[in-house]
């Protein structure tokens, strides 16, 4: 039985405030969880509650969300069992808004996730096992940021992420070693060319480049430098994050000094995918450009994984629309886009039913909480996207997966490339 809930304001990887929640049970069990925060957020995400007081953290403080946990939420949960659906329902009923703006999705998710941890502890199992129920588990393929642009890198490029998927790796730990080698090789290649090796918000490099093709050529060079084969060992993924350069009726590529229609942008991305081993494209179009998404998927969806992030915002209603309209063939899953664990699990389940692939994703502002590693294993998601391979907040997730891999030993199934369970 839950006897207490509380929260405090902690800092994320950008040094911005976020919420950490604590739960106490009558048997002495305690659990805590913290939540991340995005920069390139979608309009349809659940609302992160911030104080807006310019005197503290430039208005980004979360003392109001903390107070919601300490006050209303604690009062509502006291006496309840740490049962996920029941607790999440109670949170939703208490908030009573469509976008979770009253209590704050940051407050709600922190409590929801702490509930999952508490329940796992009571059952005496790791979080991934608890989330899997009795079902099978597997380790996800990492999709790793190597070069950054967009809102994570001062808009040096319009596309947000150039990522590597170590598609040829046979185990999770081998996949991780390959991408770490590749990330290092990219640093060497950039330095040799006199380009900046400074890192962006997620640990990818943010060099000033002439255009998007230049980033892809750098990827080819770095893969070769790492002793890996592009297209075999490593394939690429783009997070175009097109919402963030959509003007309302066209797509403005500042870095290339041109403006493209949805159709021309699709053509451009298709060309890039023909020139380089690009296997996955996320948010190639803006978050509400539904007809353009369906056209894009019809055109390129056979050979390409097409991932909706801002499009779906881990929202079941939006995913249902995307399934019906064949807007994409994969969904990015971010717990804090929707704000409870139950709703997150429902989105993953629906995606799998529909044959959509799932990519469990971190945010650009992260904490050291590794829960999304457990979520990926427990739901047998095919892929995990944590940003790059630097920074304690990112490594907390990769290292958690290494520990799970070891714990599973011979039973450590690895999704490989394209292997959603
Ligand atoms: P965000 O970026 O966390 O800043 O939203 C991640 C992404 O777009 O996938
Ligand atoms: Zn994205």
């Amino acid at each position: 039985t839950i006897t207490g809930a509380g929260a405090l304001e902690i800092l994320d990887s950008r040094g911005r405030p976020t919420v950490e929640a604590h739960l106490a049970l009558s048997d002495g069990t305690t659990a805590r969880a913290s939540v991340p925060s995005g920069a390139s957020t979608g309009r349809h995400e659940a609302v992160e509650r911030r104080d807006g007081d310019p005197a503290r953290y430039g208005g980004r403080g979360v003392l109001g969300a903390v107070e919601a946990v300490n006050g209303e939420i604690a009062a509502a949960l006291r006496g309840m069992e740490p049962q996920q659906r029941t607790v999440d329902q109670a949170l939703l009923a208490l908030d009573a808004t469509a976008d979770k703006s009253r209590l704050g999705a940051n407050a709600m998710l922190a409590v929801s996730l702490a509930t999952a941890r508490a329940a796992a502890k009571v059952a005496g199992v790791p979080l991934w096992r608890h989330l899997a129920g009795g079902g099978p588990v597997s380790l996800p393929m990492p999709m790793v940021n190597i070069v950054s642009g967009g809102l994570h890198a001062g808009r040096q490029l319009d596309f947000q992420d150039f990522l590597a998927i170590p598609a040829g790796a046979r185990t999770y730990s081998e996949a991780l070693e390959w991408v770490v080698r590749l990330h290092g090789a990219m640093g060497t290649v950039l330095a040799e060319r006199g380009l900046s090796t400074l890192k962006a918000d997620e640990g990818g490099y943010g060099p000033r480049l002439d255009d998007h093709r230049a980033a892809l050529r750098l990827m080819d060079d770095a893969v070769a430098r790492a002793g890996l084969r592009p297209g075999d060992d490593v394939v690429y993924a783009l997070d175009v994050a097109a919402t963030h350069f959509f003007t309302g009726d066209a797509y403005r590529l500042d870095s290339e000094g041109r403006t493209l229609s949805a159709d021309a942008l699709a053509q451009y991305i298709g060309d890039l995918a023909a020139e380089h081993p690009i296997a996955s494209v996320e948010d190639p179009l803006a978050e509400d450009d539904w007809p353009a998404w369906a056209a894009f998927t019809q055109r390129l969806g056979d050979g390409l994984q097409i991932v909706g992030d801002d499009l779906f915002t881990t929202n079941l209603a939006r995913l249902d629309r995307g399934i019906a309209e064949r807007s994409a063939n994969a969904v990015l899953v971010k717990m804090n886009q929707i704000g409870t664990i139950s709703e997150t699990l429902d989105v993953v389940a629906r995606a799998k039913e529909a044959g959509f692939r799932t990519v469990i994703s971190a945010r650009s502002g992260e904490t050291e909480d590794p829960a999304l590693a457990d979520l990926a294993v427990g739901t047998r998601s095919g892929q995990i996207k944590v940003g790059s391979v630097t920074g304690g907040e990112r490594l907390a997730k990769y290292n958690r997966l290494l520990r799970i891999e070891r714990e599973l030993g011979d039973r450590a199934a690895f999704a490989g490339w394209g292997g959603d369970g």
Side-chain angles (χ1 to χ4, degrees), residues 14 37-42 45 152 160-161 202 239 241 282-283 309-310 332 334 337 361-365 385:
R14 276 191 282 250
S37 174
S40 76
T41 48
E45 295 192 18
H152 298 164
Q160 184 176 285
D161 303 340
E202 296 188 336
D239 182 359
E282 175 179 333
D283 283 355
D309 171 13
D310 291 348
L332 203 78
K334 292 167 166 167
Q337 282 181 326
S361 174
R363 302 305 305 244
S364 51
K385 182 186 181 214

Side-chain angles (χ1 to χ4, degrees), residues 38-377:
S40 76
T41 48
R43 202 155 68 80
H44 304 284
E45 295 192 18
V47 172
E48 206 172 53
R49 180 165 164 195
R50 300 220 173 250
D51 300 334
D53 169 9
R56 292 187 73 254
Y57 291 114
R60 292 200 168 95
V62 293
L63 296 180
V66 163
E67 188 39 46
V69 179
N70 292 336
E72 281 190 70
I73 292 178
L77 298 192
R78 213 164 284 132
M80 289 179 62
E81 294 309 311
Q83 206 281 330
Q84 198 71 47
R85 296 266 162 197
T86 318
V87 167
D88 289 347
Q89 277 306 328
L91 291 170
L92 292 172
L94 186 63
D95 174 68
T97 65
D99 59 6
K100 302 187 175 69
S101 54
R102 202 182 72 77
L103 295 171
N106 42 357
M108 292 169 70
L109 178 62
V111 171
S112 182
L113 184 50
T115 301
R117 278 222 171 88
K121 278 194 180 176
V122 168
V125 297
L127 181 57
W128 53 269
R129 170 50 61 206
H130 173 66
L131 293 172
V137 298
S138 64
L139 290 152
M141 172 65 82
M143 176 193 273
V144 177
N145 185 322
I146 306 294
V147 173
S148 294
L151 294 174
H152 298 164
R155 306 213 68 128
Q156 300 283 13
L157 291 170
D158 301 284
F159 292 7
Q160 184 176 285
D161 303 340
F162 296 79
L163 308 107
I165 299 167
R170 286 149 301 181
T171 61
Y172 165 75
S173 44
E174 183 173 62
L176 189 60
E177 196 274 329
W178 287 9
V179 287
V180 168
R181 209 194 309 163
L182 170 57
H183 185 264
M186 180 61 83
T188 306
V189 167
L190 291 170
E192 279 173 6
R193 297 180 194 183
L195 290 164
S196 167
T197 55
L198 291 176
K199 301 201 181 72
D201 285 6
E202 296 188 336
Y205 297 101
R208 177 173 287 286
L209 300 172
D210 288 340
D211 59 16
H212 297 97
R213 280 193 168 86
L216 289 165
R217 283 195 296 269
L218 282 171
M219 292 285 285
D220 291 341
D221 293 349
V223 170
R225 179 63 69 97
L228 297 164
R229 295 164 302 164
D232 294 310
D233 297 330
V234 179
V235 296
Y236 307 162
L238 299 177
D239 182 359
V240 177
T243 299
H244 306 285
F245 57 84
F246 185 58
T247 63
D249 54 6
Y251 293 88
R252 173 69 196 169
L253 299 181
D254 276 331
S255 64
E256 301 187 4
R258 57 195 185 122
T259 301
L260 303 179
S261 66
D263 205 51
L265 179 60
Q267 176 73 45
Y268 180 40
I269 293 169
D271 289 348
L272 296 177
E275 294 162 22
H276 297 272
I278 294 171
S280 176
V281 178
E282 175 179 333
D283 283 355
L285 295 151
E287 61 198 350
D288 290 311
D289 206 349
W290 290 97
W293 274 87
F296 187 91
T297 299
Q298 185 161 32
R299 181 159 165 177
L300 295 168
D302 269 347
L304 210 53
Q305 172 174 283
I306 299 169
V307 189
D309 171 13
D310 291 348
L311 179 71
F312 295 138
T313 55
T314 316
N315 179 307
L316 194 58
R318 292 184 68 86
L319 177 63
D320 275 338
R321 176 167 178 187
I323 291 167
E325 297 183 12
R326 299 175 201 269
S327 309
N329 56 33
V331 57
L332 203 78
V333 177
K334 292 167 166 167
M335 291 181 261
N336 82 323
Q337 282 181 326
I338 192 63
T340 65
I341 299 299
S342 305
E343 289 167 289
T344 305
L345 294 172
D346 289 347
V347 162
V348 173
R350 181 66 54 85
K352 286 171 180 286
E353 264 167 43
F356 273 41
R357 293 186 190 171
T358 56
V359 184
I360 305 295
S361 174
R363 302 305 305 244
S364 51
E366 267 295 334
T367 73
E368 60 275 29
D369 193 313
L372 66 109
D374 291 77
L375 179 67
V377 171

